[in-house]
Amino acid sequence: MGVKGSCLCGGIRYEVDGAFGRVVHCHCSMCRKATGAPFRTRAAVPTAALRWLAGEDLVSRYESSPGETRTFCRICGSTLATFLRNRPDEIGLPLGTLDDDPGVRPSAHVWVASKAPWCEITDALPRFAEGITTTSDSQLSNPPLQPTAASPMLGRRG
Amino acid sequence: MAAVIAKGDSSMIEGGCLCGTVRFCITGKLGPAGYCHCKQCQRASGSAFAANAPARTIYFKFLSGGDVVTEYESSQGKFRAFCSRCGSPVYSRRDSEPDIRRIRLGTLDSDPERRPLAHVWANSKAPWYSIMDALPQYSEGLPTDIVSALQTERRS
């Protein structure tokens, strides 16, 4: 039984089958612009685990950096998954559109050096000025999706 | 609730969407900011909550890209505006409050000199997010006495 999600207008529905990977709050300026919020909370999810149930034709794409494509609903603007050309097997799924509790919880704040001046971080989660490096990776509570294939910046933008 | 009616005084604030097509400026004061945890704000932003502050419509001006802004009517008479090219939420507005645009703070380029003062719709918050700060939390929208205080401030 997968975890379901949908956009605000309901035109797009999706399901994630299988485990969610690490969840982080990303404070980079691009995530702030993309969400309008102080940070974007997203989980690493295997690309193969995401299944569009309805409205895939409504999914708009915007390439925010070379090889990094953010998606949103063409009708209501809801922020959806981010796809990375250099990691085709993993997507960044923002949790706000989930209908169900994915069970996982955020384990870090990343790109804190870029955080909004009006946002004060008050929780006890680890904070990283930029992304999560491989050396800091093992200190975090929930695991990356592919620890053996770790990139230098696991908590990269997106 | 003295803190809720504390005033900001930014004379000019600029903001824009992720792709840079939509650019806007706000002259005059931005109103009191807050975090909204309603499920609609979660879906629209993709994040745990929205961060909003009201600006007077007459002080909100598109510098570019006004023609690519799409408005989605998420409830009757309530419209959420986003960039049709990159999806960034920009503002919301209500037919019943034509003089107000609720600006998404994440789109601002500079410090609005406003700090969010409360969490609203906390009863709807995401199960995967814990509110850890000391700001007041309201289970639904702002109580009517606080709304009245804020409206008094807007008129000032």
Side-chain angles (χ1 to χ4, degrees):
Chain A
M1 193 59 186
V3 175
K4 290 193 170 67
S6 52
C7 68
L8 179 55
C9 70
I12 297 170
R13 291 187 293 111
Y14 62 87
E15 186 170 28
V16 177
D17 290 309
F20 279 64
R22 170 168 298 149
V23 180
V24 296
H25 299 303
C26 182
H27 294 254
C28 84
S29 60
M30 296 178 78
C31 279
R32 287 190 279 120
K33 291 269 185 184
T35 61
F39 49 78
R40 174 171 172 270
T41 306
R42 62 123 173 99
V45 168
T47 306
L50 175 72
R51 200 153 50 91
W52 302 108
L53 301 175
E56 189 173 356
D57 57 319
L58 300 179
V59 177
S60 283
R61 292 168 170 77
Y62 171 66
E63 190 170 8
S64 56
S65 325
E68 178 169 338
T69 300
R70 293 170 186 256
T71 64
F72 59 97
C73 173
R74 179 161 59 81
I75 305 299
C76 67
S78 290
T79 305
L80 299 164
T82 295
F83 297 82
L84 298 149
R85 192 189 301 139
N86 64 357
R87 283 175 77 89
D89 48 353
E90 181 183 321
I91 59 170
L93 186 72
L95 299 189
T97 58
L98 291 180
D99 301 333
D100 309 320
D101 185 347
V104 288
R105 297 292 179 262
S107 60
H109 293 269
V110 298
W111 294 94
V112 169
S114 307
K115 85 168 182 62
W118 45 268
C119 168
E120 188 186 354
I121 300 172
T122 55
D123 63 35
L125 296 177
R127 302 170 194 184
F128 297 90
E130 297 188 345
I132 298 170
T133 62
T134 47
T135 50
S136 56
D137 194 47
S138 60
Q139 300 164 15
L140 297 177
S141 54
N142 59 342
L145 278 179
Q146 300 152 310
T148 55
S151 72
M153 284 293 181
L154 298 173
R156 72 205 171 283
R157 292 161 203 258
Chain B
M1 296 301 297
V4 174
I5 56 170
K7 294 185 179 182
D9 188 25
S10 293
S11 56
M12 169 72 93
I13 305 162
E14 282 195 32
C17 66
L18 178 58
C19 70
T21 306
V22 177
R23 298 285 309 161
F24 61 85
C25 71
I26 300 155
T27 51
K29 289 183 299 190
L30 207 54
Y35 293 127
C36 181
H37 294 257
C38 82
K39 192 58 202 173
Q40 289 203 346
C41 279
Q42 289 178 42
R43 290 193 196 282
S45 69
S47 198
F49 47 78
N52 305 316
R56 282 181 179 272
T57 304
I58 55 168
Y59 296 137
F60 176 90
K61 192 184 298 177
F62 283 116
L63 301 172
S64 67
D67 56 324
V68 305
V69 171
T70 296
E71 290 191 344
Y72 170 68
E73 189 170 9
S74 57
S75 316
Q76 191 171 10
K78 176 169 180 172
F79 298 84
R80 292 169 184 265
F82 62 96
C83 172
S84 59
R85 294 196 181 161
C86 68
S88 288
V90 180
Y91 65 82
S92 66
R93 66 175 180 86
R94 289 180 189 274
D95 280 344
S96 59
E97 292 183 308
D99 59 332
I100 296 294
R101 293 271 188 278
R102 298 192 66 80
I103 309 300
R104 276 32 187 172
L105 297 185
T107 60
L108 299 180
D109 295 335
S110 55
D111 189 345
E113 295 175 14
R114 280 289 194 184
R115 297 295 177 263
L117 299 170
H119 296 270
V120 298
W121 294 96
N123 269 10
S124 308
K125 85 164 181 62
W128 43 266
Y129 186 77
S130 300
I131 301 173
M132 300 296 283
D133 62 38
L135 297 178
Q137 298 178 26
Y138 300 100
S139 57
E140 297 189 348
L142 285 176
T144 52
D145 57 331
I146 295 177
V147 172
S148 299
L150 298 180
Q151 286 171 342
T152 300
E153 184 197 358
R154 282 180 199 157
R155 284 193 294 270
S156 66

